[in-house]
Amino acid sequence: MSKSVEIKMEIVGYLASILAGLSLGLIGGGGSILTVPILVYLFSVSPVNATEYSLFIVGITSLIGVIPLYREKSIDFSMAVRFGIPSALAVIFARKVILPAIPEEIILFDSVIILRRLLIMLFFAMVMIAASLFMIFRKEKSETELINKVKNSLGLILAESISVGTISGISGAGGGFLIIPLLTILNKVPMKKAIGTSLLIIGVQSMIGFFAGLPAANPDWDLLLKITTLSVSGFFTGNYLSVKFSARTLRNTFGWFVLCIGIYIILKELHFLMW
């Protein structure tokens, strides 16, 4: 790859980093869904390190974004503790145990070799597609019906948080696209408080996950801080613009965008496997 192409890709990457923060500001989640592909495809960061970097970028952006919501009293601290602690522990387990247990090469049928890079990216793509379909086809009416049927139990919260933390630890996704619907649908948290609570959970669990794997990651701090700064600026822009659009419009638009990226990752990685 020529130097000029690399520079152009970096410029696109920095602009896309603003978009990742914009997503967090607009809908309270989805930043990491964009951050990992940005790092892998535009900055040539390995998938394992990209998931590590993503935890830092989304974690810092979320924690800074929590500040104005805290002032507005839009955070359910009790729920954040009950959900956040098991989730953070699950992130650590995923980073320390599950990811290192995946071999660099997996041989299938004596001839087909599957690289760990491919497994991580395909897993991430499937998470993206599942999240996008949920955002696109979720109905507000069904949420109200579910809220009236499901009790806010500690066991349910524990199962939810461990699942989200494990997915976050493996994929590097903060999990806002999962946390917000779980808080609103199953745990009766109002939407505004769900967004603030989600950002706090994302911020804490992401930073814990990042520092748990820090020695092995050996991050490029210059790149990391540049992208994080742009992501934070995007967050506040998105937070400002969020009042100008309906939640449904934002969710649908972002859902289709994420779906396209997820499909692109699968096609690109399978093409890489075949060639």
Side-chain angles (χ1 to χ4, degrees):
M1 185 183 299
S2 67
K3 189 67 176 178
S4 61
V5 172
E6 287 183 7
I7 292 173
K8 288 178 182 178
M9 289 180 67
E10 283 188 6
I11 292 172
V12 174
Y14 288 131
L15 293 174
S17 299
I18 299 175
L19 184 62
L22 195 70
S23 164
L24 273 172
L26 283 170
I27 62 175
S32 51
I33 286 226
L34 301 178
T35 302
V36 171
I38 288 169
L39 290 167
V40 172
Y41 297 125
L42 298 176
F43 292 103
S44 300
V45 178
S46 73
V48 173
N49 280 352
T51 61
E52 189 78 17
Y53 287 20
S54 175
L55 290 173
F56 179 87
I57 295 163
V58 175
I60 293 295
T61 304
S62 299
L63 289 177
I64 292 176
V66 159
I67 296 173
L69 294 174
Y70 168 75
R71 292 171 180 166
E72 297 171 7
K73 298 183 179 179
S74 297
I75 299 173
D76 185 333
F77 284 100
S78 174
M79 180 61 69
V81 171
R82 285 181 288 164
F83 197 108
I85 291 176
S87 182
L89 293 175
V91 170
I92 294 173
F93 181 80
R95 303 299 299 180
K96 288 288 191 180
V97 179
I98 298 177
L99 270 181
I102 302 174
E104 288 291 340
E105 295 183 353
I106 300 174
I107 301 177
L108 300 177
F109 311 116
D110 297 325
S111 59
V112 179
I113 298 177
I114 306 294
L115 300 179
R116 181 167 68 166
R117 167 205 159 88
L118 177 65
L119 287 178
I120 292 174
M121 292 310 296
L122 289 180
F123 175 78
F124 190 84
M126 295 307 297
V127 170
M128 292 182 74
I129 290 173
S132 67
L133 293 176
F134 186 85
M135 284 187 280
I136 294 167
F137 296 108
R138 192 176 76 183
K139 296 180 180 179
E140 302 295 336
K141 185 177 180 181
S142 64
E143 289 182 14
T144 305
E145 294 170 354
L146 282 169
I147 286 173
N148 294 329
K149 291 179 181 179
V150 183
K151 293 183 179 181
N152 183 352
S153 70
L154 186 59
L156 177 64
I157 294 171
L158 185 63
E160 295 167 1
S161 60
I162 290 174
S163 300
V164 170
T166 303
I167 292 172
S168 298
I170 295 173
S171 67
F177 58 90
L178 295 172
I179 296 172
I180 290 175
L182 288 175
L183 292 178
T184 54
I185 297 173
L186 299 183
N187 299 295
K188 305 180 183 180
V189 179
M191 176 56 76
K192 190 171 183 180
K193 276 201 169 184
I195 292 174
T197 306
S198 171
L199 286 173
L200 180 59
I201 294 169
I202 291 169
V204 172
Q205 77 173 22
S206 295
M207 294 310 297
I208 289 174
F210 173 77
F211 285 110
L214 185 58
N218 190 23
D220 179 346
W221 285 106
D222 182 58
L223 174 65
L224 204 50
L225 293 176
K226 284 179 182 176
I227 295 177
T228 302
T229 301
L230 292 170
S231 179
V232 170
S233 67
F235 174 89
F236 285 107
T237 303
N239 191 51
Y240 171 77
L241 294 174
S242 63
V243 297
K244 301 182 182 296
F245 304 93
S246 70
R248 184 66 183 170
T249 299
L250 291 172
R251 196 164 56 235
N252 274 354
T253 302
F254 186 73
W256 283 109
F257 180 60
V258 169
L259 179 62
C260 291
I261 296 178
I263 293 172
Y264 169 79
I265 290 174
I266 290 177
L267 294 176
K268 184 176 181 64
E269 293 300 324
L270 290 179
H271 179 268
F272 175 80
L273 173 65
M274 293 175 62
W275 295 100

